[in-house]
Amino acid sequence: MPEVPCLFCRIVARESPAEIEYEDDLAVAFKDIYPKAPTHLLIVPRRHVESVAMLRDEDLGLVGHCFMVAKRLGERKGLAERGYRVNANCGPEGGQVVYHLHFHFLAGRRGG
Ligand code: 5GP
Ligand code: ZN
């Protein structure tokens, strides 16, 4: 089988290790390896989309789904009241390093 070069595709396929906290048919959420807040998860669609800039109209549901995963994570972790931050970095000047669409879920520190 050919090697999948994308790091997050490999994590989604369980070919690379990650601390997975949530998964369903469309998305996976796992701990960021270099956490920038006490809680730092990455919500990643299973399907490879490079970035926000590469989204197509038909990806609307996928993006909405990722935000619903964020909502579920917030509820599961008892963070709905205190709050959390959900954000996506896009492109070199947006600070994107891994080119597989992902949403950072940050909590436990004011301002994320
Ligand atoms: P970006 O800057 O692309 O929005 O964020 C990429 C994130 O992926 C960074 O916060 C970085 O710490 C995280 N990351 C990079 N490599 C790995 C890895 O191998 N495993 C996990 N779990 N996170 C990673
Ligand atoms: Zn990928």
Side-chain angles (χ1 to χ4, degrees), residues 8-9 11-12 26-30 42-47 62 66 69 100-103:
F8 287 176
C9 279
I11 288 176
V12 163
L26 295 175
V28 176
F30 51 87
L42 301 171
I43 301 166
V44 177
R46 285 187 185 276
R47 189 159 59 72
L62 187 61
C66 288
V69 171
H100 179 132
L101 182 68
H102 54 281
F103 297 89

Side-chain angles (χ1 to χ4, degrees), residues 7-8 11 30-34 36 40 42 89 95-98 102 104:
L7 173 63
F8 287 176
I11 288 176
F30 51 87
K31 286 187 182 168
D32 194 296
I33 204 166
Y34 304 117
K36 280 118 201 138
H40 187 175
L42 301 171
N89 301 327
Q96 187 173 8
V97 174
V98 179
H102 54 281
H104 295 260

Side-chain angles (χ1 to χ4, degrees), residues 3 18 45-46 85 92:
E3 264 200 24
R46 285 187 185 276
R85 187 148 67 110

